[in-house]
Amino acid sequence: MVDIPSISSSGATSVMKPSFKRHVETFLPPEQLGSQIPPYRPNYAFPGPFIDTAHRRLAETRLKDDILIQVKNRRWLGSVIRGWLRREDALKLYELSYFSPGDILELGSHRGLSTSILSSAVKNAGRTKHVYTVDLNHKCVRATKYNLRWMGLHRDVTVMRDDAIETVKRFATTNKRFSFIFIDHSHEYDPVYAVCRELVNITTYGALCLFHDYNDMRNGDPENIDYGVYQAVIDGLDSRRFEFVGIYGCAALYRVT
């Protein structure tokens, strides 16, 4: 059994806001990964089941194999943006981006599915903040730019082709800080662990970090060397600086304290 990473109760009291909710009961030990998919539940308080119509559309969008959301880059005659997001993941991404008080960083854009959700939330929130996204694959970078432009979401996004850990270190040297970071650049232990060790250097006080593919049964298989997100987060995040917030779909949320 793995203990839930958390800070002392006195520390948590000084950080948590009344409108922010944690769901620590969703924590899973490694042997139970993927055995259940916790539903989307809000961390922030807002009236009604959805933040706005865009948030609602994510809940109603068509699914592939009853699992993965299918979002088009144009409403009419558009093509589906390739990606692997559950409905629960997408709803959480939109919420955290919408309420983020500052800039947002995405590590691993793929073809821009998650990036479009982040950017859409920023645009609809009407706040002055910017999305930075990085991917090492030049085809993914090109596809992300293409899809964002067709959706009219490119103005609030800086798309970069680079290594995730090198990008994080470069931001740290320039004292750049983010309020929300979505980590989805790799499923392997070493790349995720390396980023986890650096996150404290690029996050603001109270920042949120969402780790995709954390709740995946392949992380609990010692024979599967391609998956190690769960273990990398547990080992890489300093429990004195990060607290577990909850699992939503296959993603886990941690908060800087």
Side-chain angles (χ1 to χ4, degrees), residues 18 21 51 54 63 77 99 115-116 143 165 167 185 191 205 225 228:
K21 293 183 179 179
I51 298 169
L63 298 179
L77 302 178
F99 288 105
T115 320
S116 70
I165 184 60
T167 299
H185 64 295
Y205 182 76
I225 61 174

Side-chain angles (χ1 to χ4, degrees), residues 214-229:
Y214 177 103
N215 180 26
D216 189 305
M217 66 178 63
R218 288 169 288 190
N219 289 308
D221 180 3
E223 301 299 321
N224 193 332
I225 61 174
D226 295 327
Y227 275 77
V229 177

Side-chain angles (χ1 to χ4, degrees), residues 128-189:
T128 304
K129 50 190 174 184
H130 196 77
V131 177
Y132 296 80
T133 184
V134 59
D135 201 289
L136 191 57
N137 187 302
H138 69 91
K139 291 183 179 180
C140 288
V141 169
R142 186 166 62 244
T144 295
K145 290 181 178 180
Y146 173 85
N147 288 320
L148 290 175
R149 184 167 293 277
W150 271 109
M151 300 174 80
L153 298 172
H154 58 287
R155 293 180 180 86
D156 296 320
V157 184
T158 297
V159 183
M160 302 169 288
R161 178 177 178 264
D162 204 348
D163 176 75
I165 184 60
E166 292 303 319
T167 299
V168 170
K169 289 181 177 179
R170 186 167 61 253
F171 278 134
T173 61
T174 60
N175 203 35
K176 176 65 178 174
R177 296 290 185 268
F178 297 92
S179 297
F180 172 41
I181 301 178
F182 180 47
I183 300 94
D184 192 23
H185 64 295
S186 177
H187 301 140
E188 297 179 9
Y189 179 92

Side-chain angles (χ1 to χ4, degrees), residues 2 28-35 184 186-190 192-193 211-235 247 249-252:
V2 178
L28 295 170
E31 65 273 12
Q32 293 183 16
L33 291 173
S35 63
D184 192 23
S186 177
H187 301 140
E188 297 179 9
Y189 179 92
D190 289 343
V192 178
Y193 177 86
F211 296 89
H212 198 234
D213 297 308
Y214 177 103
N215 180 26
D216 189 305
M217 66 178 63
R218 288 169 288 190
N219 289 308
D221 180 3
E223 301 299 321
N224 193 332
I225 61 174
D226 295 327
Y227 275 77
V229 177
Y230 177 95
Q231 296 90 335
V233 173
I234 296 296
D235 296 344
I247 294 178
C250 72

